[in-house]
Amino acid sequence: MLDLANNTVQGPARALLADLSGPDQCNSANAIFCSWMAVGNVLGFSAGASGNWHKWFPFLMTRACCEACGNLKAAFLIAVVFLLFCMAVTLYFAEEIALEPKDAQQLSDSAPLLNGSRDDHDASSEQTNGGLSNGHADTNHVSPNSRAEDSTDAGSNSNKDDVEAFNDGPGAVLVKILTSMRHLPPGMYSVLLVMALTWLSWFPFFLFDTDWMGREVYHGDPKGNASERKAYDDGVREGAFGLLLNSVVLGIGSFLIDPLCRMIGARLVWAISNFIVFACMLATTILSWISYDLYSSKLQHIVGADKTVKTSALILFSLLGLPLSITYSVPFSVTAELTAGTGGGQGLATGVLNLAIVAPQIVVSLGAGPWDK
């Protein structure tokens, strides 16, 4: 449920950010958004690296709940409290002017299901008129391609009532997101594809980063003897410290994104960040080989991390903060720029972009575990 809440919050928060900042400040606004994410990550990972939650919240420990259990309960409790507090602040301070949807805009999302024979406008003319197709024909001018060319007023009112009834249905939100994909600007399809492929590389890192430190850098085993379990725990805590450094770089990098995008363009910045991710992920494999080679050369297989390998791993975690800051901001800035001036198109496009993040997460969650095993 907490993960559902976090995923639900992200899309509307990004869309609200785009609405309040405007198209001229998309990069700056997303950089500030990213910097606050870094602050939260620093606080969370620093607490995770210490492992003292059970001392700060001793009332959570019982006879049936050990220190690790108390740490977990405290972490979830703080997460829920922070989520409620931040959403309350957002809802109170973020003033938003409600958009009055035009009849034609409603038809653009709902008509594909209500009227299967609806003709689409030419894509090139839609782009010159501002991006997403929202049905630009009004009551005073009817396009030659419009289905309403021979409609009577009574028929139009009847269709309008059908659309309004459809929009009030429980599946209207999902339908709008899915049907809006056919009205996206051509550039958005490239953004969605690259976003999905990018997160296919990030999610395994998020799932296995601390486990990698515990197993392949510290050579521990959570199911081994006492020394192996201790080495694994030390590695996991060191991995949390690496993520803390990652978040610091994430915060610093968020302030460099806007100047970089202005200097060389958002597309090139995003491409460079993905090549950095590729190089860092390749480096994890090289570090694992070196670490195992050093471990196997020891006569008694002393459990623990080689100092050079451990330092290199922490540097690797830190370097990944820069491309992560770009991943957290540039795609959303590009989406806001592509859909600016399209009425409700920004919110719908951001929702579709969130699907491009969630779909790889499902793929990795279902496939990474068996593959790792």
Side-chain angles (χ1 to χ4, degrees):
M1 293 302 296
L2 183 59
D3 193 40
L4 175 64
N6 288 332
N7 274 320
T8 305
V9 163
Q10 276 205 33
R14 295 281 192 176
L16 185 62
L17 180 74
D19 288 340
L20 296 178
S21 62
D24 296 333
Q25 296 178 313
C26 285
N27 288 330
S28 300
N30 277 283
I32 295 172
F33 190 95
C34 186
S35 66
W36 279 112
M37 291 179 67
V39 171
N41 287 346
V42 168
L43 294 176
F45 289 130
S46 59
S50 67
N52 290 324
W53 291 83
H54 64 283
K55 296 180 180 178
W56 302 332
F57 301 96
F59 61 90
L60 294 176
M61 293 184 60
T62 63
R63 287 186 299 172
C65 185
C66 62
E67 292 182 359
C69 171
N71 288 334
L72 189 63
K73 287 165 65 176
F76 277 112
L77 176 62
I78 291 298
V80 171
V81 170
F82 265 76
L83 186 61
L84 290 173
F85 172 75
C86 292
M87 289 311 303
V89 170
T90 301
L91 293 174
Y92 183 79
F93 285 102
E95 297 181 1
E96 187 180 28
I97 300 175
L99 176 69
E100 295 182 3
K102 298 179 182 178
D103 293 342
Q105 288 178 328
Q106 290 181 335
L107 284 171
S108 67
D109 287 330
S110 305
L113 292 182
L114 294 176
N115 303 294
S117 59
R118 178 183 179 273
D119 294 328
D120 293 329
H121 292 289
D122 182 73
S124 61
S125 64
E126 290 168 0
Q127 280 300 299
T128 57
N129 287 329
L132 281 171
S133 171
N134 282 315
H136 294 291
D138 58 23
T139 55
N140 296 322
H141 175 74
V142 180
S143 169
N145 293 328
S146 174
R147 294 186 70 255
E149 185 176 9
D150 299 321
S151 298
T152 63
D153 292 339
S156 300
N157 291 333
S158 176
N159 194 30
K160 176 183 175 183
D161 293 338
D162 291 339
V163 172
E164 289 178 349
F166 178 82
N167 285 339
D168 292 335
V173 175
L174 180 60
V175 169
K176 283 185 177 182
I177 291 177
L178 295 177
T179 57
S180 68
M181 293 186 69
R182 64 186 292 183
H183 306 301
L184 292 175
M188 270 303 300
Y189 296 107
S190 299
V191 172
L192 294 175
L193 177 61
V194 176
M195 192 68 161
L197 294 175
T198 299
W199 281 102
L200 273 178
S201 65
W202 276 116
F203 279 123
F205 171 74
F206 292 146
L207 284 175
F208 297 104
D209 46 14
T210 54
D211 189 59
W212 174 74
M213 285 287 284
R215 291 179 183 272
E216 300 192 10
V217 176
Y218 275 73
H219 305 286
D221 186 353
K223 298 181 180 180
N225 55 41
S227 62
E228 289 176 336
R229 289 198 302 270
K230 182 181 182 303
Y232 180 81
D233 292 339
D234 290 342
V236 168
R237 270 191 286 271
E238 197 69 24
F241 178 68
L243 291 173
L244 169 62
L245 298 177
N246 176 280
S247 300
V248 172
V249 176
L250 169 66
I252 297 173
S254 64
F255 293 102
L256 303 176
I257 295 172
D258 191 31
L260 284 173
C261 289
R262 294 178 185 274
M263 190 182 307
I264 60 177
R267 181 176 63 175
L268 186 56
V269 169
W270 196 6
I272 292 173
S273 75
N274 284 334
F275 278 109
I276 294 175
V277 174
F278 165 74
C280 289
M281 295 302 170
L282 180 63
T284 60
T285 305
I286 297 173
L287 279 179
S288 294
W289 288 341
I290 295 174
S291 180
Y292 272 114
D293 185 61
L294 293 173
Y295 176 69
S296 60
S297 65
K298 296 176 182 178
L299 295 179
Q300 297 179 343
H301 296 296
I302 301 174
V303 179
D306 181 82
K307 186 176 181 179
T308 303
V309 174
K310 182 184 75 172
T311 303
S312 301
L314 292 177
I315 293 174
L316 202 61
F317 274 56
S318 303
L319 287 176
L320 282 168
L322 180 59
L324 187 60
S325 65
I326 295 172
T327 304
Y328 279 157
S329 58
V330 170
F332 297 94
S333 300
V334 173
T335 299
E337 291 171 2
L338 286 173
T339 58
T342 58
Q346 282 185 322
L348 290 171
T350 306
V352 174
L353 189 64
N354 198 40
L355 290 179
I357 301 174
V358 174
Q361 185 177 13
I362 295 174
V363 171
V364 172
S365 297
L366 295 178
W371 190 5
D372 178 62
K373 184 178 180 179

